[in-house]
Amino acid sequence: MDDDRALDAVGPRLRELRRKREVTLAELAAQTGIAASTLSRLESGNRRPTLEQLLPLARAHGVTLDELVDAPQTGDPRIHLRPISCADGVTILPLTRRPGGIQAYKFILPGQGKPQEPDPKTHEGYEWTYVLNGQLRLVLGEHDMTLSPGEAAEFDTRVPHWFGAASAEPVEYLCLIGRQGQRAHVRAAPKA
C-alpha cells in the first residue's frame, strides 16, 4: 500500500534532516517537545509517526508536512508550486512563473546548531527581503545583522551578501529580485 510505504520512508528522512542540521536527538527533543527516545524510534523505523509528532518535526526542520512524508502531487500542475531542495538543506519555492520583471521566492533555511562561516556572493539586480519566521542572519558588505519576523532589508545585489539562520530554529523569508533599477516600493500610511 502506498500510504504504508510513505510512512515507512519518514524515519530515514527524519534522520537525514536532523543530521543535515547537525542537531542531536536531545536538541531536537527540546525543540519539538517529543522525547529523545521516541525520536530515535521514529528515525529507526521502530515506531510510526502520528500527525501530532509530524507537525512539530516539520516545523523544526523547516519543511512542509508534504515534504516530510513525500506526499504525492495533488491539484492542477499548472498552478502547483514545486519547491527546489538544495544540498545544504535550503528549500526555495518560486512564487512567480513569468520570465522577466521582478521574481518572487520563498526561502526556508534550516536552523544551525553552530554558527556558519558566511560566503558572500554578488550578482546583478536589486533585492528586497522580508522575514516571516525565525531569525535571519544577513551579511551585507561589512555589515552583519540579524532580522526578526516582520523586518525587511533591501539592497543592491552587487554588494557582497549572504543569508543564514541566526539560531537553531529554521528561517522563512520572502525575497523579491529584480533587474538593476527595479525596486520594491513600500508605502506607509501617514501618522494620524
Side-chain angles (χ1 to χ4, degrees):
M1 180 177 210
D2 289 341
D3 291 343
D4 289 337
R5 260 183 270 140
L7 286 175
D8 290 341
V10 171
R13 198 169 298 113
L14 286 171
R15 178 175 284 126
E16 179 185 347
L17 286 166
R18 181 178 59 80
R19 287 183 175 164
K20 275 185 183 176
R21 291 180 50 222
E22 298 179 358
V23 173
T24 67
L25 284 170
E27 291 168 333
L28 185 59
Q31 291 174 5
T32 62
I34 301 170
S37 59
T38 301
L39 292 170
S40 177
R41 287 193 300 276
L42 289 171
E43 287 185 1
S44 66
N46 291 330
R47 182 172 179 171
R48 282 217 167 147
T50 65
L51 184 59
E52 288 80 17
Q53 294 165 332
L54 289 174
L55 289 172
L57 286 166
R59 193 174 309 118
H61 290 309
V63 297
T64 66
L65 198 53
D66 285 350
E67 289 175 275
L68 194 58
V69 298
D70 197 23
Q73 293 288 337
T74 58
D76 188 335
R78 293 172 295 173
I79 60 172
H80 186 76
L81 301 174
R82 188 167 235 357
I84 301 163
S85 296
C86 303
D88 57 0
V90 174
T91 301
I92 305 169
L93 188 63
L95 300 175
T96 50
R97 296 209 177 259
R98 64 179 167 71
I102 293 179
Q103 299 295 308
Y105 300 90
K106 178 179 180 183
F107 283 80
I108 304 170
L109 308 181
Q112 297 301 319
K114 50 189 155 196
Q116 291 180 284
E117 184 62 37
D119 183 20
K121 305 283 187 208
T122 64
H123 54 89
E124 282 295 317
Y126 202 84
E127 185 165 327
W128 181 81
T129 299
Y130 179 84
V131 180
L132 298 168
N133 292 305
Q135 300 289 312
L136 178 67
R137 181 177 175 204
L138 169 59
V139 174
L140 182 59
E142 68 276 358
H143 303 285
D144 190 338
M145 59 194 96
T146 301
L147 302 175
S148 298
E151 293 185 315
E154 65 177 308
F155 56 92
D156 185 322
T157 57
R158 292 177 295 185
V159 174
H161 58 282
W162 175 88
F163 297 99
S167 70
E169 299 298 317
V171 181
E172 295 179 53
Y173 66 96
L174 298 176
C175 179
L176 300 178
I177 302 174
R179 293 187 312 271
Q180 198 59 36
Q182 290 182 315
R183 298 177 60 170
H185 299 284
V186 180
R187 294 190 182 187
K191 292 182 180 180

